[in-house]
mmCIF file of all heavy atoms in Angstrom:
data_model
loop_
_atom_site.group_PDB
_atom_site.id
_atom_site.type_symbol
_atom_site.label_atom_id
_atom_site.label_comp_id
_atom_site.label_asym_id
_atom_site.label_seq_id
_atom_site.Cartn_x
_atom_site.Cartn_y
_atom_site.Cartn_z
ATOM 1 N N MET A 1 9.754 13.709 -9.703
ATOM 2 C CA MET A 1 9.141 14.002 -11.003
ATOM 3 C C MET A 1 7.657 14.341 -10.761
ATOM 4 O O MET A 1 6.975 13.704 -9.940
ATOM 5 C CB MET A 1 9.224 12.775 -11.936
ATOM 6 C CG MET A 1 8.582 12.987 -13.285
ATOM 7 S SD MET A 1 8.635 11.498 -14.296
ATOM 8 C CE MET A 1 10.310 11.617 -14.910
ATOM 9 N N ALA A 2 7.134 15.316 -11.432
ATOM 10 C CA ALA A 2 5.730 15.659 -11.308
ATOM 11 C C ALA A 2 4.833 14.563 -11.851
ATOM 12 O O ALA A 2 5.181 13.911 -12.881
ATOM 13 C CB ALA A 2 5.437 16.940 -12.056
ATOM 14 N N THR A 3 3.762 14.330 -11.202
ATOM 15 C CA THR A 3 2.831 13.271 -11.654
ATOM 16 C C THR A 3 1.408 13.802 -11.701
ATOM 17 O O THR A 3 1.103 14.808 -11.052
ATOM 18 C CB THR A 3 2.849 12.041 -10.680
ATOM 19 O OG1 THR A 3 2.467 12.481 -9.416
ATOM 20 C CG2 THR A 3 4.217 11.398 -10.647
ATOM 21 N N GLU A 4 0.597 13.091 -12.421
ATOM 22 C CA GLU A 4 -0.801 13.369 -12.384
ATOM 23 C C GLU A 4 -1.548 12.065 -12.013
ATOM 24 O O GLU A 4 -0.986 10.979 -12.305
ATOM 25 C CB GLU A 4 -1.347 13.915 -13.723
ATOM 26 C CG GLU A 4 -1.119 12.944 -14.866
ATOM 27 C CD GLU A 4 -1.458 13.590 -16.210
ATOM 28 O OE1 GLU A 4 -0.905 14.646 -16.518
ATOM 29 O OE2 GLU A 4 -2.296 13.013 -16.944
ATOM 30 N N THR A 5 -2.649 12.184 -11.389
ATOM 31 C CA THR A 5 -3.390 10.961 -10.941
ATOM 32 C C THR A 5 -4.547 10.688 -11.904
ATOM 33 O O THR A 5 -5.352 11.530 -12.189
ATOM 34 C CB THR A 5 -3.925 11.130 -9.531
ATOM 35 O OG1 THR A 5 -2.846 11.497 -8.687
ATOM 36 C CG2 THR A 5 -4.576 9.879 -9.030
ATOM 37 N N GLU A 6 -4.497 9.451 -12.412
ATOM 38 C CA GLU A 6 -5.579 9.029 -13.292
ATOM 39 C C GLU A 6 -6.571 8.191 -12.390
ATOM 40 O O GLU A 6 -6.132 7.400 -11.601
ATOM 41 C CB GLU A 6 -4.980 8.137 -14.373
ATOM 42 C CG GLU A 6 -5.842 7.824 -15.524
ATOM 43 C CD GLU A 6 -5.130 6.934 -16.534
ATOM 44 O OE1 GLU A 6 -4.135 6.284 -16.230
ATOM 45 O OE2 GLU A 6 -5.557 6.944 -17.701
ATOM 46 N N THR A 7 -7.853 8.417 -12.575
ATOM 47 C CA THR A 7 -8.822 7.679 -11.772
ATOM 48 C C THR A 7 -9.792 6.963 -12.637
ATOM 49 O O THR A 7 -10.083 7.329 -13.758
ATOM 50 C CB THR A 7 -9.594 8.616 -10.813
ATOM 51 O OG1 THR A 7 -10.334 9.535 -11.608
ATOM 52 C CG2 THR A 7 -8.711 9.356 -9.846
ATOM 53 N N MET A 8 -10.298 5.835 -12.105
ATOM 54 C CA MET A 8 -11.252 5.018 -12.825
ATOM 55 C C MET A 8 -12.021 4.196 -11.798
ATOM 56 O O MET A 8 -11.489 3.868 -10.748
ATOM 57 C CB MET A 8 -10.509 4.089 -13.776
ATOM 58 C CG MET A 8 -11.448 3.272 -14.651
ATOM 59 S SD MET A 8 -10.509 2.188 -15.772
ATOM 60 C CE MET A 8 -10.159 3.313 -17.145
ATOM 61 N N HIS A 9 -13.282 3.914 -12.097
ATOM 62 C CA HIS A 9 -14.039 3.069 -11.195
ATOM 63 C C HIS A 9 -13.516 1.648 -11.305
ATOM 64 O O HIS A 9 -13.349 1.101 -12.396
ATOM 65 C CB HIS A 9 -15.550 3.090 -11.542
ATOM 66 C CG HIS A 9 -16.188 4.342 -11.079
ATOM 67 N ND1 HIS A 9 -16.410 4.672 -9.762
ATOM 68 C CD2 HIS A 9 -16.666 5.404 -11.800
ATOM 69 C CE1 HIS A 9 -16.968 5.852 -9.680
ATOM 70 N NE2 HIS A 9 -17.123 6.343 -10.906
ATOM 71 N N GLY A 10 -13.220 1.081 -10.146
ATOM 72 C CA GLY A 10 -12.681 -0.294 -10.107
ATOM 73 C C GLY A 10 -13.419 -1.119 -9.080
ATOM 74 O O GLY A 10 -14.220 -0.614 -8.336
ATOM 75 N N ASP A 11 -13.115 -2.419 -9.120
ATOM 76 C CA ASP A 11 -13.804 -3.375 -8.278
ATOM 77 C C ASP A 11 -12.821 -4.043 -7.336
ATOM 78 O O ASP A 11 -12.072 -4.929 -7.742
ATOM 79 C CB ASP A 11 -14.524 -4.422 -9.141
ATOM 80 C CG ASP A 11 -15.543 -5.191 -8.384
ATOM 81 O OD1 ASP A 11 -15.900 -4.780 -7.265
ATOM 82 O OD2 ASP A 11 -15.999 -6.243 -8.894
ATOM 83 N N CYS A 12 -12.768 -3.567 -6.070
ATOM 84 C CA CYS A 12 -11.846 -4.142 -5.078
ATOM 85 C C CYS A 12 -12.500 -5.354 -4.416
ATOM 86 O O CYS A 12 -13.694 -5.257 -4.069
ATOM 87 C CB CYS A 12 -11.490 -3.075 -4.056
ATOM 88 S SG CYS A 12 -10.433 -3.735 -2.693
ATOM 89 N N PRO A 13 -11.810 -6.450 -4.241
ATOM 90 C CA PRO A 13 -12.388 -7.647 -3.604
ATOM 91 C C PRO A 13 -12.837 -7.334 -2.183
ATOM 92 O O PRO A 13 -13.834 -7.896 -1.698
ATOM 93 C CB PRO A 13 -11.242 -8.668 -3.603
ATOM 94 C CG PRO A 13 -10.196 -8.148 -4.494
ATOM 95 C CD PRO A 13 -10.427 -6.663 -4.669
ATOM 96 N N THR A 14 -12.206 -6.417 -1.479
ATOM 97 C CA THR A 14 -12.528 -6.107 -0.110
ATOM 98 C C THR A 14 -13.491 -4.939 0.005
ATOM 99 O O THR A 14 -14.405 -4.967 0.831
ATOM 100 C CB THR A 14 -11.262 -5.716 0.662
ATOM 101 O OG1 THR A 14 -10.249 -6.742 0.490
ATOM 102 C CG2 THR A 14 -11.495 -5.500 2.131
ATOM 103 N N HIS A 15 -13.329 -3.898 -0.816
ATOM 104 C CA HIS A 15 -14.090 -2.688 -0.668
ATOM 105 C C HIS A 15 -15.153 -2.440 -1.727
ATOM 106 O O HIS A 15 -15.790 -1.390 -1.722
ATOM 107 C CB HIS A 15 -13.129 -1.483 -0.625
ATOM 108 C CG HIS A 15 -12.109 -1.565 0.502
ATOM 109 N ND1 HIS A 15 -10.815 -1.977 0.303
ATOM 110 C CD2 HIS A 15 -12.253 -1.329 1.832
ATOM 111 C CE1 HIS A 15 -10.201 -2.000 1.466
ATOM 112 N NE2 HIS A 15 -11.019 -1.564 2.380
ATOM 113 N N GLY A 16 -15.328 -3.362 -2.617
ATOM 114 C CA GLY A 16 -16.354 -3.262 -3.640
ATOM 115 C C GLY A 16 -15.982 -2.174 -4.684
ATOM 116 O O GLY A 16 -14.761 -2.033 -4.964
ATOM 117 N N THR A 17 -16.942 -1.444 -5.150
ATOM 118 C CA THR A 17 -16.669 -0.427 -6.173
ATOM 119 C C THR A 17 -15.968 0.754 -5.569
ATOM 120 O O THR A 17 -16.440 1.370 -4.609
ATOM 121 C CB THR A 17 -18.005 0.051 -6.849
ATOM 122 O OG1 THR A 17 -18.645 -1.125 -7.378
ATOM 123 C CG2 THR A 17 -17.724 1.049 -7.973
ATOM 124 N N VAL A 18 -14.776 1.069 -6.041
ATOM 125 C CA VAL A 18 -13.984 2.200 -5.528
ATOM 126 C C VAL A 18 -13.503 3.044 -6.686
ATOM 127 O O VAL A 18 -13.532 2.604 -7.858
ATOM 128 C CB VAL A 18 -12.767 1.658 -4.745
ATOM 129 C CG1 VAL A 18 -13.246 0.974 -3.466
ATOM 130 C CG2 VAL A 18 -11.905 0.787 -5.611
ATOM 131 N N LYS A 19 -13.084 4.270 -6.294
ATOM 132 C CA LYS A 19 -12.439 5.140 -7.334
ATOM 133 C C LYS A 19 -10.988 4.805 -7.331
ATOM 134 O O LYS A 19 -10.198 5.310 -6.516
ATOM 135 C CB LYS A 19 -12.696 6.574 -6.988
ATOM 136 C CG LYS A 19 -12.535 7.501 -8.201
ATOM 137 C CD LYS A 19 -13.080 8.863 -7.892
ATOM 138 C CE LYS A 19 -11.955 9.785 -7.422
ATOM 139 N NZ LYS A 19 -12.365 11.183 -7.195
ATOM 140 N N ALA A 20 -10.589 3.870 -8.209
ATOM 141 C CA ALA A 20 -9.190 3.404 -8.230
ATOM 142 C C ALA A 20 -8.302 4.456 -8.851
ATOM 143 O O ALA A 20 -8.748 5.283 -9.703
ATOM 144 C CB ALA A 20 -9.095 2.151 -9.062
ATOM 145 N N THR A 21 -7.056 4.524 -8.427
ATOM 146 C CA THR A 21 -6.173 5.559 -8.932
ATOM 147 C C THR A 21 -4.900 4.958 -9.473
ATOM 148 O O THR A 21 -4.473 3.834 -9.136
ATOM 149 C CB THR A 21 -5.797 6.541 -7.801
ATOM 150 O OG1 THR A 21 -5.143 5.814 -6.777
ATOM 151 C CG2 THR A 21 -7.006 7.259 -7.226
ATOM 152 N N ARG A 22 -4.220 5.735 -10.327
ATOM 153 C CA ARG A 22 -2.947 5.341 -10.891
ATOM 154 C C ARG A 22 -2.175 6.610 -11.164
ATOM 155 O O ARG A 22 -2.730 7.582 -11.697
ATOM 156 C CB ARG A 22 -3.189 4.554 -12.198
ATOM 157 C CG ARG A 22 -1.942 4.065 -12.886
ATOM 158 C CD ARG A 22 -2.235 2.997 -13.909
ATOM 159 N NE ARG A 22 -2.988 3.578 -15.041
ATOM 160 C CZ ARG A 22 -3.445 2.866 -16.051
ATOM 161 N NH1 ARG A 22 -3.223 1.552 -16.076
ATOM 162 N NH2 ARG A 22 -4.114 3.431 -17.027
ATOM 163 N N GLU A 23 -0.853 6.622 -10.778
ATOM 164 C CA GLU A 23 -0.052 7.793 -10.997
ATOM 165 C C GLU A 23 0.591 7.700 -12.367
ATOM 166 O O GLU A 23 1.157 6.694 -12.739
ATOM 167 C CB GLU A 23 1.050 7.795 -9.928
ATOM 168 C CG GLU A 23 0.553 7.959 -8.496
ATOM 169 C CD GLU A 23 0.373 9.396 -8.110
ATOM 170 O OE1 GLU A 23 1.275 10.203 -8.268
ATOM 171 O OE2 GLU A 23 -0.710 9.720 -7.599
ATOM 172 N N LEU A 24 0.544 8.834 -13.082
ATOM 173 C CA LEU A 24 1.246 8.918 -14.388
ATOM 174 C C LEU A 24 2.163 10.085 -14.296
ATOM 175 O O LEU A 24 1.825 11.143 -13.776
ATOM 176 C CB LEU A 24 0.229 9.126 -15.518
ATOM 177 C CG LEU A 24 -0.711 8.056 -15.880
ATOM 178 C CD1 LEU A 24 -1.563 8.478 -17.078
ATOM 179 C CD2 LEU A 24 -0.014 6.727 -16.227
ATOM 180 N N PRO A 25 3.383 9.928 -14.912
ATOM 181 C CA PRO A 25 4.280 11.075 -14.946
ATOM 182 C C PRO A 25 3.701 12.152 -15.881
ATOM 183 O O PRO A 25 3.159 11.860 -16.945
ATOM 184 C CB PRO A 25 5.562 10.534 -15.509
ATOM 185 C CG PRO A 25 5.306 9.184 -15.997
ATOM 186 C CD PRO A 25 3.938 8.730 -15.452
ATOM 187 N N LYS A 26 3.769 13.408 -15.455
ATOM 188 C CA LYS A 26 3.311 14.510 -16.283
ATOM 189 C C LYS A 26 4.243 14.671 -17.513
ATOM 190 O O LYS A 26 5.424 14.380 -17.429
ATOM 191 C CB LYS A 26 3.347 15.786 -15.501
ATOM 192 C CG LYS A 26 2.057 16.154 -14.816
ATOM 193 C CD LYS A 26 2.116 17.640 -14.472
ATOM 194 C CE LYS A 26 0.877 18.285 -13.985
ATOM 195 N NZ LYS A 26 -0.197 17.634 -13.462
ATOM 196 N N VAL A 27 3.628 15.151 -18.581
ATOM 197 C CA VAL A 27 4.421 15.351 -19.802
ATOM 198 C C VAL A 27 5.355 16.556 -19.602
ATOM 199 O O VAL A 27 4.869 17.648 -19.346
ATOM 200 C CB VAL A 27 3.530 15.562 -20.989
ATOM 201 C CG1 VAL A 27 4.376 15.864 -22.248
ATOM 202 C CG2 VAL A 27 2.649 14.366 -21.286
ATOM 203 N N THR A 28 6.643 16.314 -19.704
ATOM 204 C CA THR A 28 7.656 17.343 -19.595
ATOM 205 C C THR A 28 8.672 17.160 -20.684
ATOM 206 O O THR A 28 8.675 16.070 -21.367
ATOM 207 C CB THR A 28 8.360 17.336 -18.219
ATOM 208 O OG1 THR A 28 8.911 15.996 -18.021
ATOM 209 C CG2 THR A 28 7.414 17.648 -17.071
ATOM 210 N N PHE A 29 9.557 18.093 -20.854
ATOM 211 C CA PHE A 29 10.615 17.956 -21.864
ATOM 212 C C PHE A 29 11.618 16.898 -21.410
ATOM 213 O O PHE A 29 11.985 16.923 -20.260
ATOM 214 C CB PHE A 29 11.285 19.270 -22.080
ATOM 215 C CG PHE A 29 12.259 19.297 -23.210
ATOM 216 C CD1 PHE A 29 11.807 19.471 -24.530
ATOM 217 C CD2 PHE A 29 13.596 19.044 -23.017
ATOM 218 C CE1 PHE A 29 12.725 19.374 -25.575
ATOM 219 C CE2 PHE A 29 14.469 18.963 -24.031
ATOM 220 C CZ PHE A 29 14.033 19.176 -25.373
ATOM 221 N N PRO A 30 12.126 16.013 -22.254
ATOM 222 C CA PRO A 30 11.726 15.829 -23.617
ATOM 223 C C PRO A 30 10.445 14.957 -23.752
ATOM 224 O O PRO A 30 10.397 13.941 -23.019
ATOM 225 C CB PRO A 30 12.917 15.158 -24.275
ATOM 226 C CG PRO A 30 13.564 14.413 -23.144
ATOM 227 C CD PRO A 30 13.286 15.195 -21.889
ATOM 228 N N PRO A 31 9.477 15.289 -24.563
ATOM 229 C CA PRO A 31 8.244 14.559 -24.639
ATOM 230 C C PRO A 31 8.394 13.064 -24.965
ATOM 231 O O PRO A 31 7.631 12.246 -24.508
ATOM 232 C CB PRO A 31 7.436 15.274 -25.758
ATOM 233 C CG PRO A 31 8.137 16.533 -26.005
ATOM 234 C CD PRO A 31 9.555 16.432 -25.441
ATOM 235 N N VAL A 32 9.396 12.737 -25.783
ATOM 236 C CA VAL A 32 9.602 11.331 -26.176
ATOM 237 C C VAL A 32 9.903 10.527 -24.921
ATOM 238 O O VAL A 32 9.368 9.427 -24.746
ATOM 239 C CB VAL A 32 10.698 11.179 -27.243
ATOM 240 C CG1 VAL A 32 10.990 9.709 -27.482
ATOM 241 C CG2 VAL A 32 10.258 11.859 -28.542
ATOM 242 N N TYR A 33 10.801 11.027 -24.130
ATOM 243 C CA TYR A 33 11.185 10.358 -22.880
ATOM 244 C C TYR A 33 9.943 10.164 -21.997
ATOM 245 O O TYR A 33 9.670 9.060 -21.449
ATOM 246 C CB TYR A 33 12.255 11.169 -22.153
ATOM 247 C CG TYR A 33 12.692 10.644 -20.832
ATOM 248 C CD1 TYR A 33 13.434 9.455 -20.746
ATOM 249 C CD2 TYR A 33 12.270 11.287 -19.674
ATOM 250 C CE1 TYR A 33 13.829 9.004 -19.504
ATOM 251 C CE2 TYR A 33 12.647 10.793 -18.418
ATOM 252 C CZ TYR A 33 13.423 9.677 -18.357
ATOM 253 O OH TYR A 33 13.783 9.195 -17.104
ATOM 254 N N THR A 34 9.174 11.235 -21.842
ATOM 255 C CA THR A 34 7.968 11.152 -20.995
ATOM 256 C C THR A 34 6.973 10.145 -21.563
ATOM 257 O O THR A 34 6.303 9.423 -20.815
ATOM 258 C CB THR A 34 7.307 12.527 -20.882
ATOM 259 O OG1 THR A 34 8.303 13.477 -20.585
ATOM 260 C CG2 THR A 34 6.226 12.484 -19.800
ATOM 261 N N ALA A 35 6.853 10.116 -22.889
ATOM 262 C CA ALA A 35 5.892 9.175 -23.477
ATOM 263 C C ALA A 35 6.265 7.736 -23.164
ATOM 264 O O ALA A 35 5.366 6.912 -22.855
ATOM 265 C CB ALA A 35 5.901 9.327 -25.008
ATOM 266 N N VAL A 36 7.537 7.403 -23.127
ATOM 267 C CA VAL A 36 7.932 6.053 -22.704
ATOM 268 C C VAL A 36 7.596 5.775 -21.266
ATOM 269 O O VAL A 36 7.075 4.753 -20.911
ATOM 270 C CB VAL A 36 9.487 5.869 -22.968
ATOM 271 C CG1 VAL A 36 9.985 4.562 -22.362
ATOM 272 C CG2 VAL A 36 9.822 6.005 -24.442
ATOM 273 N N LYS A 37 7.879 6.765 -20.410
ATOM 274 C CA LYS A 37 7.597 6.599 -18.980
ATOM 275 C C LYS A 37 6.101 6.393 -18.792
ATOM 276 O O LYS A 37 5.651 5.602 -17.937
ATOM 277 C CB LYS A 37 8.065 7.790 -18.181
ATOM 278 C CG LYS A 37 9.550 8.065 -18.266
ATOM 279 C CD LYS A 37 10.345 7.173 -17.386
ATOM 280 C CE LYS A 37 10.319 7.622 -15.919
ATOM 281 N NZ LYS A 37 11.183 6.868 -15.074
ATOM 282 N N ARG A 38 5.271 7.209 -19.522
ATOM 283 C CA ARG A 38 3.845 7.103 -19.351
ATOM 284 C C ARG A 38 3.314 5.767 -19.880
ATOM 285 O O ARG A 38 2.415 5.167 -19.332
ATOM 286 C CB ARG A 38 3.165 8.261 -20.123
ATOM 287 C CG ARG A 38 3.216 9.533 -19.350
ATOM 288 C CD ARG A 38 2.685 10.713 -20.139
ATOM 289 N NE ARG A 38 1.270 10.667 -20.371
ATOM 290 C CZ ARG A 38 0.340 11.202 -19.554
ATOM 291 N NH1 ARG A 38 0.737 11.890 -18.515
ATOM 292 N NH2 ARG A 38 -0.934 11.132 -19.827
ATOM 293 N N ALA A 39 3.933 5.278 -21.003
ATOM 294 C CA ALA A 39 3.532 4.006 -21.549
ATOM 295 C C ALA A 39 3.741 2.899 -20.523
ATOM 296 O O ALA A 39 2.932 1.959 -20.349
ATOM 297 C CB ALA A 39 4.244 3.721 -22.849
ATOM 298 N N LEU A 40 4.873 2.957 -19.845
ATOM 299 C CA LEU A 40 5.215 1.963 -18.816
ATOM 300 C C LEU A 40 4.202 2.106 -17.665
ATOM 301 O O LEU A 40 3.750 1.081 -17.149
ATOM 302 C CB LEU A 40 6.646 2.138 -18.335
ATOM 303 C CG LEU A 40 7.722 1.758 -19.284
ATOM 304 C CD1 LEU A 40 9.108 2.109 -18.698
ATOM 305 C CD2 LEU A 40 7.729 0.294 -19.583
ATOM 306 N N ALA A 41 3.933 3.328 -17.250
ATOM 307 C CA ALA A 41 3.006 3.577 -16.127
ATOM 308 C C ALA A 41 1.600 3.039 -16.455
ATOM 309 O O ALA A 41 0.915 2.533 -15.578
ATOM 310 C CB ALA A 41 2.968 5.028 -15.773
ATOM 311 N N LYS A 42 1.216 3.149 -17.690
ATOM 312 C CA LYS A 42 -0.100 2.677 -18.114
ATOM 313 C C LYS A 42 -0.227 1.209 -18.099
ATOM 314 O O LYS A 42 -1.351 0.652 -18.172
ATOM 315 C CB LYS A 42 -0.445 3.225 -19.506
ATOM 316 C CG LYS A 42 -0.982 4.690 -19.440
ATOM 317 C CD LYS A 42 -1.362 5.154 -20.843
ATOM 318 C CE LYS A 42 -1.908 6.569 -20.805
ATOM 319 N NZ LYS A 42 -3.227 6.603 -20.145
ATOM 320 N N ARG A 43 0.874 0.476 -18.032
ATOM 321 C CA ARG A 43 0.812 -0.984 -17.918
ATOM 322 C C ARG A 43 0.565 -1.446 -16.482
ATOM 323 O O ARG A 43 0.295 -2.597 -16.222
ATOM 324 C CB ARG A 43 2.059 -1.593 -18.471
ATOM 325 C CG ARG A 43 2.180 -1.402 -20.022
ATOM 326 C CD ARG A 43 3.520 -1.795 -20.566
ATOM 327 N NE ARG A 43 3.828 -3.236 -20.300
ATOM 328 C CZ ARG A 43 4.959 -3.761 -20.627
ATOM 329 N NH1 ARG A 43 5.933 -3.049 -21.252
ATOM 330 N NH2 ARG A 43 5.156 -5.062 -20.387
ATOM 331 N N ARG A 44 0.751 -0.498 -15.521
ATOM 332 C CA ARG A 44 0.493 -0.858 -14.108
ATOM 333 C C ARG A 44 -0.976 -0.833 -13.853
ATOM 334 O O ARG A 44 -1.716 -0.070 -14.473
ATOM 335 C CB ARG A 44 1.191 0.126 -13.212
ATOM 336 C CG ARG A 44 2.705 0.061 -13.280
ATOM 337 C CD ARG A 44 3.385 0.577 -12.027
ATOM 338 N NE ARG A 44 2.945 1.925 -11.667
ATOM 339 C CZ ARG A 44 3.613 3.037 -12.020
ATOM 340 N NH1 ARG A 44 4.727 2.941 -12.669
ATOM 341 N NH2 ARG A 44 3.161 4.220 -11.694
ATOM 342 N N PRO A 45 -1.463 -1.656 -12.899
ATOM 343 C CA PRO A 45 -2.856 -1.679 -12.588
ATOM 344 C C PRO A 45 -3.280 -0.479 -11.804
ATOM 345 O O PRO A 45 -2.479 0.161 -11.085
ATOM 346 C CB PRO A 45 -3.020 -2.985 -11.769
ATOM 347 C CG PRO A 45 -1.672 -3.185 -11.129
ATOM 348 C CD PRO A 45 -0.679 -2.614 -12.099
ATOM 349 N N PHE A 46 -4.581 -0.141 -11.825
ATOM 350 C CA PHE A 46 -5.162 0.799 -10.937
ATOM 351 C C PHE A 46 -5.194 0.147 -9.546
ATOM 352 O O PHE A 46 -5.326 -1.066 -9.431
ATOM 353 C CB PHE A 46 -6.597 1.131 -11.400
ATOM 354 C CG PHE A 46 -6.634 2.084 -12.523
ATOM 355 C CD1 PHE A 46 -6.533 1.617 -13.846
ATOM 356 C CD2 PHE A 46 -6.793 3.441 -12.321
ATOM 357 C CE1 PHE A 46 -6.593 2.462 -14.907
ATOM 358 C CE2 PHE A 46 -6.854 4.336 -13.404
ATOM 359 C CZ PHE A 46 -6.731 3.842 -14.671
ATOM 360 N N VAL A 47 -5.062 0.932 -8.521
ATOM 361 C CA VAL A 47 -5.099 0.387 -7.199
ATOM 362 C C VAL A 47 -6.209 1.016 -6.336
ATOM 363 O O VAL A 47 -6.634 2.170 -6.563
ATOM 364 C CB VAL A 47 -3.754 0.632 -6.462
ATOM 365 C CG1 VAL A 47 -2.629 -0.112 -7.126
ATOM 366 C CG2 VAL A 47 -3.420 2.077 -6.281
ATOM 367 N N CYS A 48 -6.675 0.298 -5.345
ATOM 368 C CA CYS A 48 -7.757 0.701 -4.475
ATOM 369 C C CYS A 48 -7.187 1.816 -3.536
ATOM 370 O O CYS A 48 -6.125 1.674 -2.987
ATOM 371 C CB CYS A 48 -8.216 -0.502 -3.624
ATOM 372 S SG CYS A 48 -9.344 -0.031 -2.331
ATOM 373 N N PRO A 49 -7.919 2.892 -3.372
ATOM 374 C CA PRO A 49 -7.451 4.002 -2.475
ATOM 375 C C PRO A 49 -7.465 3.576 -1.037
ATOM 376 O O PRO A 49 -6.836 4.174 -0.172
ATOM 377 C CB PRO A 49 -8.411 5.134 -2.750
ATOM 378 C CG PRO A 49 -9.642 4.465 -3.273
ATOM 379 C CD PRO A 49 -9.213 3.202 -3.993
ATOM 380 N N GLU A 50 -8.246 2.563 -0.680
ATOM 381 C CA GLU A 50 -8.366 2.111 0.727
ATOM 382 C C GLU A 50 -7.212 1.171 1.144
ATOM 383 O O GLU A 50 -6.633 1.319 2.155
ATOM 384 C CB GLU A 50 -9.711 1.374 0.926
ATOM 385 C CG GLU A 50 -10.927 2.171 0.586
ATOM 386 C CD GLU A 50 -11.200 3.261 1.597
ATOM 387 O OE1 GLU A 50 -10.804 3.118 2.770
ATOM 388 O OE2 GLU A 50 -11.859 4.217 1.242
ATOM 389 N N CYS A 51 -6.990 0.154 0.283
ATOM 390 C CA CYS A 51 -6.016 -0.854 0.688
ATOM 391 C C CYS A 51 -4.771 -0.889 -0.226
ATOM 392 O O CYS A 51 -3.820 -1.606 0.065
ATOM 393 C CB CYS A 51 -6.688 -2.226 0.736
ATOM 394 S SG CYS A 51 -7.395 -2.765 -0.842
ATOM 395 N N GLY A 52 -4.792 -0.164 -1.348
ATOM 396 C CA GLY A 52 -3.626 -0.064 -2.190
ATOM 397 C C GLY A 52 -3.402 -1.338 -3.030
ATOM 398 O O GLY A 52 -2.362 -1.472 -3.669
ATOM 399 N N LYS A 53 -4.403 -2.229 -3.065
ATOM 400 C CA LYS A 53 -4.225 -3.429 -3.871
ATOM 401 C C LYS A 53 -4.758 -3.165 -5.292
ATOM 402 O O LYS A 53 -5.669 -2.355 -5.472
ATOM 403 C CB LYS A 53 -5.005 -4.560 -3.247
ATOM 404 C CG LYS A 53 -4.372 -5.092 -1.972
ATOM 405 C CD LYS A 53 -5.019 -6.385 -1.494
ATOM 406 C CE LYS A 53 -4.302 -6.908 -0.269
ATOM 407 N NZ LYS A 53 -5.185 -7.647 0.636
ATOM 408 N N PRO A 54 -4.219 -3.913 -6.263
ATOM 409 C CA PRO A 54 -4.705 -3.759 -7.594
ATOM 410 C C PRO A 54 -6.194 -4.136 -7.693
ATOM 411 O O PRO A 54 -6.624 -5.099 -7.010
ATOM 412 C CB PRO A 54 -3.876 -4.749 -8.426
ATOM 413 C CG PRO A 54 -2.647 -4.983 -7.609
ATOM 414 C CD PRO A 54 -3.093 -4.837 -6.150
ATOM 415 N N VAL A 55 -6.960 -3.404 -8.512
ATOM 416 C CA VAL A 55 -8.397 -3.724 -8.636
ATOM 417 C C VAL A 55 -8.731 -4.017 -10.085
ATOM 418 O O VAL A 55 -7.928 -3.675 -10.986
ATOM 419 C CB VAL A 55 -9.256 -2.480 -8.203
ATOM 420 C CG1 VAL A 55 -8.961 -2.184 -6.691
ATOM 421 C CG2 VAL A 55 -8.985 -1.310 -9.035
ATOM 422 N N GLU A 56 -9.848 -4.673 -10.223
ATOM 423 C CA GLU A 56 -10.344 -4.944 -11.604
ATOM 424 C C GLU A 56 -10.953 -3.686 -12.164
ATOM 425 O O GLU A 56 -11.763 -3.009 -11.519
ATOM 426 C CB GLU A 56 -11.412 -6.063 -11.573
ATOM 427 C CG GLU A 56 -10.935 -7.403 -11.033
ATOM 428 C CD GLU A 56 -10.158 -8.205 -12.106
ATOM 429 O OE1 GLU A 56 -10.431 -7.950 -13.245
ATOM 430 O OE2 GLU A 56 -9.288 -8.987 -11.685
ATOM 431 N N THR A 57 -10.613 -3.363 -13.414
ATOM 432 C CA THR A 57 -11.268 -2.229 -14.051
ATOM 433 C C THR A 57 -11.795 -2.696 -15.408
ATOM 434 O O THR A 57 -11.404 -3.703 -15.955
ATOM 435 C CB THR A 57 -10.255 -1.043 -14.314
ATOM 436 O OG1 THR A 57 -9.103 -1.563 -14.958
ATOM 437 C CG2 THR A 57 -9.875 -0.411 -12.987
ATOM 438 N N ASP A 58 -12.741 -1.936 -15.973
ATOM 439 C CA ASP A 58 -13.364 -2.307 -17.221
ATOM 440 C C ASP A 58 -12.341 -2.098 -18.376
ATOM 441 O O ASP A 58 -11.612 -1.159 -18.378
ATOM 442 C CB ASP A 58 -14.576 -1.439 -17.475
ATOM 443 C CG ASP A 58 -15.644 -1.725 -16.405
ATOM 444 O OD1 ASP A 58 -15.678 -2.823 -15.877
ATOM 445 O OD2 ASP A 58 -16.406 -0.762 -16.129
HETATM 446 ZN ZN1 ZN B 101 -9.645 -2.093 -1.245
#
């Protein structure tokens, strides 16, 4: 499935301030189905690009 990467500044315990990333499914037909998948993806934490661990975000 096609995805888009959402980025946000996060605080990794090991690497300090990093550009944390999170993958979201791209909106495709049917949109309702995608909206559910995106809502689930948005509940996942952003992760550090260096170590892949969840980071604190604002
Ligand atoms: Zn890290």
Side-chain angles (χ1 to χ4, degrees):
M1 178 185 280
T3 60
E4 61 188 54
T5 304
E6 192 178 22
T7 61
M8 185 181 275
H9 285 289
D11 195 14
C12 176
T14 307
H15 301 100
T17 303
V18 294
K19 202 168 93 174
T21 61
R22 180 166 67 184
E23 298 272 309
L24 292 181
K26 265 198 172 22
V27 177
T28 54
F29 187 83
V32 172
Y33 175 73
T34 313
V36 172
K37 300 281 281 185
R38 282 173 70 92
L40 289 175
K42 278 183 177 290
R43 292 170 60 182
R44 293 205 305 265
F46 283 84
V47 297
C48 173
E50 302 287 336
C51 61
K53 289 192 176 148
V55 299
E56 298 281 333
T57 52
D58 297 332

